[in-house]
Amino acid sequence: MNSDIFKDSIDRRLSAVQMDQQLRSRILDSCRPVAVSSPPAGRRRWGLVRRGVAVAAACAVIFSTSLVCIAANRPLRDSLSRLGDDVLLMLQPINTVSESSGIRMEVLAAMNDDDIAVIYLTLQDTEKLGRLDDSIELQSFTVQVQNGAGEETLFSNADVLWYDEETQTATLQLTSQAVEVIAGHKLSLNVRSLLSGRSDYTNVETGYTLADIARANPMPALLYPQALTSYSTWGPLSEQFSQRLDRNEVPVLSPLADPVQLEELPWLTINNAAIVDNLFHIQLAYDDDMGRFNRVNAMLTDPQGNAYDVSGMQLTLQSTRPDPFHEYISREEQILVIPGETLYDQVQVRANVVTYEHYLEGRWDATFCLQDADDSLRRFTCDLDMNPWRVNEITLSPIGVTVYGEGEMYAYSDSPEIEVYLKDGSLAETSGGFSSSSMSEGKETHLSKVLFSSPTAMEDVARLVVNGEEFSLEE
């Protein structure tokens, strides 16, 4: 059944629906978000059951399409109008509200295919204290699904779409990736903290050169820690640095008796700075308030501020893990290779700094069921050689393209190259993707996915091309 026939079928079914004014009002009321206080524990189960019956009754009339609810729900339509009419018509209305710490979270709508959920929500500062802006980051949040495999925590990221200064409301898009099928299952969103007021300062002058550092601390006291919480290395010497760290051959600085406090950065302390074996070391300590989130990254530049591209290390000397998802660095040492054959007085120490103004904690929750994805999917069976694994199925949805395959994959194996062409001749814009492999019943299976930059109506797609093989959607 192609998209036009499907649309005509839905239109015919809807045209036969006759609703009196009382029933129409009840259905539209169920589409409007309402903040609901938690009932007493003894009544909560009955409340959920009764609400479920009401939802089921409404779904019996209009669940065959979300268009009625989208069109009738003015708050939902107004909040997401910038997405465009084509996207609005594809969304499943959610309309759940949760408020905490003077911040109102309203989950407006969602859409999904087999393993990806896209959720649209708003955050509003109801106390008008200016605590939100277009730099909001959901610091601690989870998206979980109840499916056949039990409860799965999804890999998720959140992006701010736009911010309204007058109402102090930010609109966000969450994209959540599952391992198992999520279509038709219950999804729970739980937010516990968020950050806002981010500022990025690049190439900040410290007023020091390497010559100044060498003169101020000619014989630094060194330590060889037996264990690091974590470390990262980069540049051409990355592998060599990793081996030296594993052998405990990289010293760190002993903190000064009188470390440096910066008035401009009250959350930061410079424990020490020195040059050791032609490596620049600087040890930083962050406080347990905003220092958990703010960051300073040292850099070496020429007198004009042009950064040297050098190898380096970042060693975590002390950290805390307040929840399963975040580790806050409280003390670290950054080490940079000094550019060769460069005079110390010609190398400046500068920094990139990231700060936040607000950290908010609360309990914002939403639970809803995702729609079945079958009606929005186009599936293609195939047999594409990927040397030596093979692609046997391709799925196209408004969210993106998924390639499924089986067989052994090696470093020299081919990777799926996916292109989607629209009917106007343009190439659909994508915003990244992911790949995964697993072993099931003795078979190695593979999945590769490319996500559209924004949901794309299936009737706008002309064809997709995977490694030169064309699959047409036009009948």
Side-chain angles (χ1 to χ4, degrees):
M1 178 181 291
N2 64 35
S3 57
D4 291 333
I5 296 176
F6 179 78
K7 180 179 183 300
D8 292 340
S9 175
I10 292 296
D11 289 343
R12 286 195 300 273
R13 291 174 63 185
L14 286 176
S15 65
V17 176
Q18 300 294 326
M19 290 182 287
D20 60 30
Q21 186 59 42
Q22 183 178 7
L23 177 59
R24 181 186 300 273
S25 298
R26 287 168 53 196
I27 292 175
L28 293 183
D29 286 343
S30 72
C31 294
R32 298 188 179 99
V34 179
V36 181
S37 59
S38 299
R43 295 172 53 194
R44 185 169 299 165
R45 181 176 178 83
W46 163 244
L48 289 174
V49 171
R50 196 169 76 177
R51 183 176 180 182
V53 171
V55 172
C59 287
V61 180
I62 61 171
F63 187 73
S64 57
T65 178
S66 63
L67 304 188
V68 170
C69 202
I70 289 285
N73 190 329
R74 181 175 295 276
L76 173 58
R77 189 174 69 247
D78 292 346
S79 297
L80 296 178
S81 60
R82 298 191 201 181
L83 294 175
D85 292 341
D86 289 345
V87 175
L88 284 177
L89 295 179
M90 292 185 284
L91 297 180
Q92 169 193 349
I94 304 298
N95 298 308
T96 64
V97 171
S98 180
E99 189 162 340
S100 181
S101 302
I103 303 297
R104 172 189 171 100
M105 181 182 80
E106 183 177 336
V107 179
L108 300 170
M111 67 184 309
N112 64 277
D113 58 15
D114 281 338
D115 49 23
I116 291 287
V118 179
I119 305 167
Y120 295 95
L121 61 93
T122 59
L123 293 170
Q124 182 182 25
D125 188 344
T126 59
E127 297 177 357
K128 299 297 180 67
L129 298 178
R131 295 172 294 175
L132 303 181
D133 59 16
D134 59 3
S135 69
I136 291 176
E137 297 179 18
L138 300 187
Q139 174 65 12
S140 180
F141 76 102
T142 59
V143 180
Q144 295 176 312
V145 64
Q146 296 278 354
N147 54 27
E151 186 174 74
E152 179 186 349
T153 299
L154 310 187
F155 176 79
S156 305
N157 66 280
D159 299 302
V160 178
L161 298 179
W162 55 80
Y163 177 74
D164 186 321
E165 292 186 6
E166 182 178 353
T167 61
Q168 298 192 27
T169 302
T171 302
L172 289 79
Q173 173 183 292
L174 271 64
T175 304
S176 298
Q177 165 196 344
V179 175
E180 302 291 336
V181 172
I182 63 174
H185 294 291
K186 184 173 71 174
L187 203 70
S188 296
L189 168 63
N190 310 107
V191 180
R192 295 295 174 261
S193 63
L194 57 91
L195 291 165
S196 65
R198 173 170 175 154
S199 296
D200 291 75
Y201 305 93
T202 60
N203 218 328
V204 178
E205 296 186 28
T206 66
Y208 289 92
T209 67
L210 290 184
D212 298 327
I213 301 296
R215 283 192 297 268
N217 195 4
M219 299 183 64
L222 304 178
L223 300 171
Y224 286 84
Q226 295 301 311
L228 300 171
T229 301
S230 63
Y231 69 81
S232 61
T233 64
W234 61 88
L237 299 178
S238 177
E239 184 175 352
Q240 177 184 326
F241 285 160
S242 295
Q243 293 172 353
R244 290 184 60 192
L245 287 166
D246 291 339
R247 294 194 299 264
N248 196 31
E249 295 176 354
V250 178
V252 298
L253 302 175
S254 179
L256 296 172
D258 187 19
V260 178
Q261 299 282 344
L262 301 178
E263 182 179 350
E264 299 86 350
L265 307 176
W267 42 267
L268 177 72
T269 300
I270 301 177
N271 280 352
N272 205 343
I275 296 173
V276 182
D277 296 332
N278 209 43
L279 298 173
F280 169 65
H281 289 239
I282 183 168
Q283 188 177 120
L284 307 175
Y286 301 91
D287 72 13
D288 58 3
D289 187 18
M290 294 309 292
R292 291 175 296 169
F293 318 108
N294 299 341
R295 274 297 164 268
V296 171
N297 290 300
M299 57 189 296
L300 302 178
T301 77
D302 64 16
Q304 289 73 44
N306 300 307
Y308 290 108
D309 185 12
V310 297
S311 298
M313 295 174 271
Q314 180 170 304
L315 315 181
T316 302
L317 307 178
Q318 187 177 342
S319 63
T320 58
R321 189 182 292 274
D323 59 55
F325 306 100
H326 294 94
E327 180 179 52
Y328 298 118
I329 297 173
S330 52
R331 188 163 61 97
E332 69 181 5
E333 188 145 333
Q334 299 176 19
I335 305 173
L336 300 174
V337 176
I338 297 174
E341 299 182 358
T342 306
L343 298 176
Y344 282 7
D345 62 359
Q346 294 297 304
V347 181
Q348 295 188 357
V349 179
R350 300 196 181 198
N352 294 326
V353 182
V354 177
T355 66
Y356 295 89
E357 291 185 23
H358 304 289
Y359 171 65
L360 302 174
E361 292 184 332
R363 296 185 66 87
W364 300 275
D365 303 293
T367 300
F368 53 91
C369 287
L370 295 175
Q371 291 182 338
D372 192 352
D374 287 343
D375 290 339
S376 64
L377 300 179
R378 289 293 301 271
R379 302 183 189 274
F380 305 89
T381 57
C382 57
D383 185 19
L384 303 182
D385 186 2
M386 292 290 162
N387 187 31
W389 70 283
R390 308 188 77 85
V391 171
N392 49 38
E393 183 179 348
I394 301 170
T395 299
L396 174 69
S397 80
I399 296 174
V401 181
T402 310
V403 173
Y404 303 91
E406 293 182 355
E408 294 184 89
M409 181 182 292
Y410 301 99
Y412 57 78
S413 295
D414 296 334
S415 299
E417 297 180 3
I418 303 169
E419 296 176 315
V420 179
Y421 290 89
L422 305 180
K423 289 182 179 179
D424 63 6
S426 64
L427 192 64
E429 294 185 7
T430 58
S431 60
F434 58 89
S435 298
S436 64
S437 299
S438 61
M439 186 68 70
S440 176
E441 299 179 353
K443 292 183 179 180
E444 188 174 354
T445 60
H446 311 286
L447 179 151
S448 295
K449 189 146 195 161
V450 170
L451 304 179
F452 295 129
S453 298
S454 62
T456 300
M458 302 294 290
E459 56 266 27
D460 293 338
V461 179
R463 68 187 192 281
L464 61 94
V465 179
V466 179
N467 285 44
E469 187 84 11
E470 185 172 305
F471 302 85
S472 176
L473 274 74
E474 297 180 305
E475 301 297 334

